Amino acid sequence: MIHLTRNGHVATIALARPEAKNALPTAAWQALAAAARDVGDARAVILRSDVPGIFSAGADVREFERLQADPALRTRFREAMREGIEAIAALPMPVIAAIDGGCFGAAVALILAADIRIAGAQAEFAITPARLGLGYPREDVARLEAQLGRGMAALLLFTGDKLRPDEVHKIGLVELKTRKAIDTATAMASAIAGNAPEAIRLLKRTLGGERTDQGFEDAFGGAEFAEGLAAFRARRSPAW
């Protein structure tokens, strides 16, 4: 269901459940968290689908029938989904979500845990819990509101309308729209991996709101800055 691969300094976490349009049951959310824990010292991570035409249908609706009658399973499902999404959000290196195909329901919450979102030409997006008589976890609503603002977040949550790449790019749900998201994400991840890895991690922590004044100052005395400055002076590529 979840495949983790590594190509040099770039790790890829791929959704791979073609028989269910990458709908994610409880076990898949747990596997997603395990994959995030196993990326090791990668300098960039790509989150993508291995199934043509779909990113993910979201949480597995077929599993929801069991949740109707079993409150304990509801808690397990909610906690597993939280574990998977937060594991992606907590990765210390940049995460790029490449969306080539449909991205619905909880899958939108998943891509919001990434740092950068890229929509391909065939991408579609909808947040659909209201159409099933369900809510959306508070952490995911908070990320959606932080990304889009309260009014636009409300519009997507209350209507469940399907949006195409031009629309989601205009409102800021994705940072880039391109013909093929995976190709663009691969090139971007390679470029990120070519920069100083500890500096990138420091920048990500700063973007996340952490006070990094000491880290900013310490970097001037660090090995990465020494190498970067030496490479700049010698007009060569730095060796990170």
Side-chain angles (χ1 to χ4, degrees), residues 1 13 101 147 187 192:
M1 287 186 287
I13 298 175
Q147 185 77 14
I192 290 170

Short mmCIF file of all heavy atoms in Angstrom, two decimals, residues 1 13 101 147 187 192:
data_model
loop_
_atom_site.label_atom_id
_atom_site.label_comp_id
_atom_site.label_asym_id
_atom_site.label_seq_id
_atom_site.Cartn_x
_atom_site.Cartn_y
_atom_site.Cartn_z
N MET A 1 0.82 -1.22 0.00
CA MET A 1 0.00 0.00 0.00
C MET A 1 0.85 1.27 0.00
O MET A 1 0.50 2.26 -0.62
CB MET A 1 -0.93 0.02 1.23
CG MET A 1 -2.08 -0.95 1.16
SD MET A 1 -3.23 -0.76 2.55
CE MET A 1 -2.24 -1.48 3.87
N ILE A 13 8.02 8.50 -1.09
CA ILE A 13 6.95 7.75 -0.44
C ILE A 13 5.78 7.71 -1.40
O ILE A 13 5.23 8.77 -1.75
CB ILE A 13 6.54 8.39 0.90
CG1 ILE A 13 7.73 8.40 1.88
CG2 ILE A 13 5.35 7.66 1.50
CD1 ILE A 13 7.44 9.14 3.18
N GLY A 101 -3.51 13.56 -10.68
CA GLY A 101 -4.75 12.80 -10.60
C GLY A 101 -5.60 13.29 -9.44
O GLY A 101 -5.31 14.30 -8.81
N GLN A 147 -3.55 27.68 5.28
CA GLN A 147 -3.12 27.72 3.89
C GLN A 147 -3.98 28.66 3.05
O GLN A 147 -3.47 29.39 2.19
CB GLN A 147 -3.19 26.30 3.29
CG GLN A 147 -2.67 26.17 1.89
CD GLN A 147 -1.14 26.16 1.81
OE1 GLN A 147 -0.47 26.00 2.82
NE2 GLN A 147 -0.60 26.32 0.63
N ALA A 187 12.65 17.01 -10.26
CA ALA A 187 13.66 18.03 -10.53
C ALA A 187 13.84 18.96 -9.33
O ALA A 187 14.97 19.32 -8.97
CB ALA A 187 13.28 18.83 -11.77
N ILE A 192 16.88 20.77 -4.41
CA ILE A 192 16.93 20.97 -2.96
C ILE A 192 18.04 20.13 -2.35
O ILE A 192 18.80 20.59 -1.48
CB ILE A 192 15.58 20.63 -2.32
CG1 ILE A 192 14.53 21.68 -2.71
CG2 ILE A 192 15.69 20.52 -0.80
CD1 ILE A 192 13.11 21.31 -2.33
#
